[in-house]
Amino acid sequence: MTELKHACHCVYQIRYHMVFCIKYRKKLLFEKDRVEFFKEICFEIGERYWFEFDAIGTDGDHVHIFVGAAPRYAPSRIMQIIKSITAKNIFKKYPDIKKQLWGGYIGTVGDGVTTDIIKRYVETQGTKEEKEGCKQMKLLDFK
C-alpha cells in the first residue's frame, strides 16, 4: 500500500493507471534504448511536477503507466503533461517515428480496484508468445 501524502490543506493517496496507445498499434517500443529513453523522460517529468511513477510497462504498441500525483492535477492534465513531453522528446531523438501519434485511456484506483491489483496487472502485460516463452514484459520500477 502506498503511503499518505500531506499537502497544506489535505492528505491524499492518489494513483492513476494510464495507457498510451501508439497509433495503428505499431510496435515502436520494443527496442530497449527507446524504452530506457522513455523511462528517463518520465523520471525528469516526475522531478519537475512531483509525480511518482510506480511502474511502467510496455508491449511495444502501448505503454502502461502507474503514476501518483497531487490532487491539484486533474487526470487529464497529468496525461497531457506526460504525453506531450514524452512525445516531443521521443520525436526529437527518434525522428523516424515522428509521424506516429499517441492515444490514451485513464483508469483510476478505487471502487474495488486496489494499488496491488493495478501493479500486478501492469507487471503481467505481454503477448501470449512472450508469456509461453517465460519472457516477462519490461517493467521499469521507479522505487
Side-chain angles (χ1 to χ4, degrees), residues 2 5 12-16 67-73 78 109:
T2 57
K5 299 292 180 185
Y12 62 93
Q13 181 184 40
I14 302 172
R15 292 287 183 267
Y16 300 101
V67 62
R72 69 176 164 237
Y73 294 110
I78 296 167
V109 179

Side-chain angles (χ1 to χ4, degrees), residues 87-98:
K88 184 177 179 179
N89 286 295
I90 287 174
F91 293 161
K92 189 184 296 182
K93 184 167 181 164
Y94 302 102
D96 57 313
I97 63 172
K98 186 172 183 165

Side-chain angles (χ1 to χ4, degrees), residues 108-126:
T108 61
V109 179
D111 294 329
V113 180
T114 66
T115 299
D116 293 334
I117 291 171
I118 296 294
K119 272 188 166 180
R120 230 175 303 129
Y121 174 75
V122 171
E123 290 170 357
T124 58
Q125 287 296 297

Side-chain angles (χ1 to χ4, degrees), residues 33-84:
D33 63 325
R34 290 181 181 177
V35 175
E36 288 299 318
F37 185 64
F38 188 87
K39 175 184 172 183
E40 290 172 22
I41 297 167
C42 288
F43 181 73
E44 291 170 7
I45 292 169
E47 287 182 343
R48 181 175 176 188
Y49 291 94
W50 297 90
F51 295 166
E52 293 181 23
F53 289 89
D54 293 330
I56 295 178
T58 182
D59 255 354
D61 63 354
H62 65 281
V63 178
H64 288 262
I65 296 178
F66 192 50
V67 62
R72 69 176 164 237
Y73 294 110
S76 60
R77 179 68 178 135
I78 296 167
M79 180 175 265
Q80 178 188 26
I81 290 167
I82 295 170
K83 283 176 58 177
S84 64

Side-chain angles (χ1 to χ4, degrees), residues 3-4 18 22 30 54 121 136:
E3 64 184 59
L4 294 174
M18 297 183 174
I22 297 174
F30 270 129
D54 293 330
Y121 174 75
Q136 180 89 16

